[in-house]
Amino acid sequence: NFEPPLKYKWMLAIIKGDAMRSMRRIWLIFLIILITGICAAQVPDLVGNWAGSAPAYFIEDGAHDLVEDDRIVLAVVEQTDRLFTGNITFMRDGEEVVEAFAGAISADNKTLYIAESKGYGFGTIISENEFEMVYLEHGKPAIAAIDQFHRIKA
């Protein structure tokens, strides 16, 4: 076991102390960068028109499309921070149906929720131009649908 001469021990103590302080500084800088990145996560901008389709399962009728022409247009007309509102437009029984909705984006900025007159949607934002929504409607018939929405570019 090597022991440095007594006259060099104080130098080793200084070097070890400097190394520890440097390591603490590096960890502190890393922690600040990590916290800044987490706090700076931007709320996704959902304002605009989104087109999707909705394969569904009806409790009494089995699996088929939720809407006639297999096309749903979701228009987010207003967004304030993580809250948004708009309209869903689709064809049913030969007529255009427009339903209002209100929605919220979770704190993770990836999960979203929509409530409309008959049911609820629970979604995941996949990218700035795509999200998936699982729609559930209670009553008769009970309905479960999976909607894939893509932003309509103007």
Side-chain angles (χ1 to χ4, degrees), residues 49-142:
N49 293 318
W50 300 78
S53 61
Y57 191 89
F58 289 69
I59 197 89
E60 295 170 357
D61 299 330
H64 56 86
D65 290 331
L66 182 61
V67 296
E68 286 176 9
D69 62 357
D70 196 34
R71 182 174 162 88
I72 298 174
V73 176
L74 184 138
V76 177
V77 296
E78 185 179 336
Q79 181 175 346
T80 303
D81 194 31
R82 295 185 306 148
L83 299 172
F84 57 95
T85 187
N87 297 295
I88 300 172
T89 305
F90 55 92
M91 296 295 289
R92 186 175 280 166
D93 297 326
E95 293 187 25
E96 184 177 84
V97 178
V98 179
E99 294 182 352
F101 70 84
I105 301 169
S106 182
D108 67 4
N109 289 330
K110 291 282 183 196
T111 307
L112 55 96
Y113 307 92
I114 289 178
E116 51 99 41
S117 65
K118 296 179 184 174
Y120 302 93
F122 307 89
T124 303
I125 298 171
I126 297 167
S127 71
E128 68 180 40
N129 294 314
E130 182 181 7
F131 68 89
E132 179 181 80
M133 180 75 62
V134 174
Y135 175 76
L136 303 174
E137 191 174 296
H138 60 83
K140 289 194 176 200

Side-chain angles (χ1 to χ4, degrees), residues 8 12 19 23 32-33 39 72 94 96 113-115 119 137 145 153:
Y8 297 114
L12 288 174
M23 197 62 160
I32 289 170
I33 290 169
C39 294
I72 298 174
E96 184 177 84
Y113 307 92
I114 289 178
E137 191 174 296
K153 302 281 184 172

Side-chain angles (χ1 to χ4, degrees), residues 28-42:
L28 182 61
I29 291 168
F30 175 73
L31 186 61
I32 289 170
I33 290 169
L34 182 64
I35 290 171
T36 304
I38 291 170
C39 294
Q42 284 192 327

